[in-house]
Amino acid sequence: MHAVSKHDPSGAVPSPAARTMIDRLIGFPTVSRDSNLGLIEWVRDYLHSHGAKIRLTHDATRKKANLFATLGDSPKPGLILSGHTDVVPVDGQQWDTDPFLATERDGKLFARGSADMKGFIGIILAQAPTFVAALDSNRLDAPLHYALSYDEEVGCLGVRGLIRDLEENGIRPAGCVVGEPTSMQPIIAHKGTHRFRCVVHGREAHSSYVTHGVNAIEYAARLVVYIRQIADRLAQIEQRDYGFTVPYSTLSTGLIRGGIAANVVPKDCEFHFDMRTLPQASPDALYQEIRTYAEVLAREMQAIDPQSGIDLVWASQTAGLAASETDAIVQWAMHLSNNSTVGKVSYGTEAGLFQKMGVPTVICGPGDIADAHRPNEFVALEQLAQCEAFMNRILDTGYAPA
């Protein structure tokens, strides 16, 4: 069910079947911290009714799952259409409408996940009957796969289990389209995304006896400054890639907490930082540089108190994507999207992980990432119609070669 006001002034709108599917998916409040099983099980049953072969991979709690579904029986490698089912929270955001009820106004569809990325998922799922008919008639001669994952928004966590399952079972598709919002422009590269957690353990003391303590906040601050110095160095000397809005690798500290009072030398401090690396950069080398300095600080701390120290954890990492405009799948996506240009983005996706698996991958989906994660998130109906046209053209062109 959806709320409707004005029609799209451009006249380009998705089919009724696609709209119904998108509205249904938006109605599942699949915030990353919560289960996505309601959506996954509904999609499983829907695709099973169209003859799909289904594979589910669960998280450790079995409250979340990835879905990998295959239409068609040909032994030839097929095409993956990939998207994530989780959405970011709406807590504290000022919405004009119910974020989990699709609301149409002025040619736009407002809802959490409308752009990122249930619009794309709804389009591809609504195409299932058409794809099945094309496969049955041999108009398409290779399988088509749906890959729907969990916890993309918190580090592309779920899709790793899906990819591992494919590798263990010898499933190697010919290519992959990740439908993140790109305004239907094929995207050939994104930065690697790496998140780190650092916990500094010191020793408490009265602030009038600072020499008796090990100040966890001050040692954390020294490490934060060192990380910032690395970031400044990269901004100055790293080879630029002007395809990205920020054309060099970046590091930034986003969270810090510690201490209990101004007159107590703090025992503990924790901070989290983020690294976004260009495809050719080495996150391992940067991490080792930071770890080496952390070890220097830890030895200084332990000279005062052997129980103190620094725990540095690489919490998550998502491989960057580095394709070429001349790659077959990119040329194919440019043709299907009627787009003569390609782009690069700074946000992370599962595309780099599929590429690392050996599957040629391109990113192309409806909507603008600038409209995602915000209150009143929306996707233009015209963008959804363009995505649906892209999927329809698959029937005429087949899949990109590997």
Side-chain angles (χ1 to χ4, degrees):
M1 184 172 183
H2 59 273
V4 180
S5 59
K6 297 181 181 178
H7 295 293
D8 176 17
S10 73
V13 296
S15 68
R19 266 305 305 273
T20 298
M21 182 65 70
I22 293 167
D23 294 355
R24 184 72 180 85
L25 298 177
I26 285 169
F28 290 100
T30 50
V31 176
S32 300
R33 64 182 175 230
D34 300 324
S35 173
N36 73 335
L37 287 184
L39 184 152
I40 287 293
E41 291 172 353
W42 187 89
V43 172
R44 176 199 62 195
D45 294 344
Y46 165 78
L47 289 175
H48 187 267
S49 72
H50 291 289
K53 297 183 287 293
I54 310 292
R55 309 179 69 88
L56 297 184
T57 49
H58 292 80
D59 73 342
T61 69
R62 301 195 68 81
K63 294 180 180 178
K64 298 180 182 182
N66 305 301
L67 176 145
F68 187 82
T70 301
L71 298 175
D73 296 318
S74 170
K76 294 180 64 174
L79 177 75
I80 298 175
L81 300 174
S82 179
H84 62 83
T85 60
D86 60 317
V87 298
V88 297
V90 298
D91 308 57
Q93 294 186 337
Q94 297 299 313
W95 282 74
D96 296 331
T97 60
D98 183 341
F100 296 107
L101 174 68
T103 302
E104 181 184 327
R105 185 175 68 249
D106 299 328
K108 301 173 182 177
L109 192 65
F110 294 85
R112 174 56 85 228
S114 57
D116 188 20
M117 54 185 298
K118 291 179 178 177
F120 172 80
I121 296 174
I123 292 291
I124 63 175
L125 288 175
Q127 289 282 344
T130 304
F131 287 138
V132 168
L135 289 160
D136 288 345
S137 66
N138 293 320
R139 189 176 176 187
L140 292 178
D141 63 351
L144 188 132
H145 308 287
Y146 293 93
L148 305 184
S149 59
Y150 66 86
D151 282 3
E152 188 272 352
E153 295 289 6
V154 291
C156 289
L157 302 183
V159 74
R160 299 168 196 271
L162 183 152
I163 289 174
R164 185 166 54 251
D165 179 66
L166 298 184
E167 291 178 323
E168 290 173 352
N169 287 277
I171 301 171
R172 180 61 61 85
C176 176
V177 177
V178 175
E180 286 280 351
T182 70
S183 299
M184 292 307 298
Q185 179 189 37
I187 297 299
I188 62 172
H190 67 67
K191 292 184 177 182
T193 303
H194 316 274
R195 297 192 175 114
F196 304 86
R197 181 176 66 255
C198 183
V199 180
V200 181
H201 305 282
R203 183 170 71 183
E204 284 179 321
H206 194 286
S207 62
S208 63
Y209 290 92
V210 293
T211 56
H212 293 194
V214 178
N215 192 313
I217 288 178
E218 291 180 356
Y219 278 100
R222 289 170 64 180
L223 190 52
V224 168
V225 169
Y226 186 78
I227 292 166
R228 175 53 190 263
Q229 289 171 342
I230 294 174
D232 290 343
R233 185 187 75 214
L234 294 171
Q236 293 169 5
I237 68 172
E238 188 178 32
Q239 183 176 349
R240 299 299 202 253
D241 185 337
Y242 289 103
F244 293 96
T245 303
V246 181
Y248 46 83
S249 301
T250 61
L251 295 94
S252 64
T253 299
L255 172 70
I256 189 165
R257 52 180 171 239
I260 59 172
N263 61 348
V264 178
V265 174
K267 179 177 182 291
D268 297 299
C269 184
E270 178 178 347
F271 68 93
H272 298 192
F273 64 99
D274 172 281
M275 183 191 299
R276 307 273 173 154
T277 51
L278 293 178
Q280 73 273 14
S282 172
D284 294 308
L286 294 170
Y287 171 67
Q288 288 304 323
E289 187 175 353
I290 296 167
R291 174 169 284 282
T292 297
Y293 185 65
E295 291 169 352
V296 171
L297 294 177
R299 287 194 293 270
E300 185 178 322
M301 297 167 67
Q302 289 162 1
I304 303 169
D305 177 12
Q307 301 303 312
S308 62
I310 298 175
D311 295 327
L312 182 58
V313 177
W314 196 328
S316 69
Q317 60 177 319
T318 301
L321 173 69
S324 168
E325 185 173 341
T326 60
D327 289 352
I329 195 166
V330 175
Q331 289 290 311
W332 172 83
M334 293 171 69
H335 174 67
L336 265 65
S337 62
N338 287 330
N339 205 317
S340 61
T341 63
V342 296
K344 300 179 180 181
V345 294
S346 294
Y347 59 82
T349 78
E350 68 267 30
L353 295 169
F354 278 113
Q355 186 183 62
K356 190 174 180 180
M357 175 189 173
V359 178
T361 303
V362 66
I363 308 170
C364 190
D368 189 331
I369 195 65
D371 300 318
H373 295 199
R374 301 169 56 188
N376 301 317
E377 175 182 345
F378 72 87
V379 62
L381 297 179
E382 183 179 11
Q383 285 281 306
L384 295 173
Q386 288 180 25
C387 181
E388 193 166 28
F390 181 108
M391 295 300 153
N392 284 327
R393 293 184 191 112
I394 292 177
L395 302 177
D396 299 321
T397 65
Y399 309 147

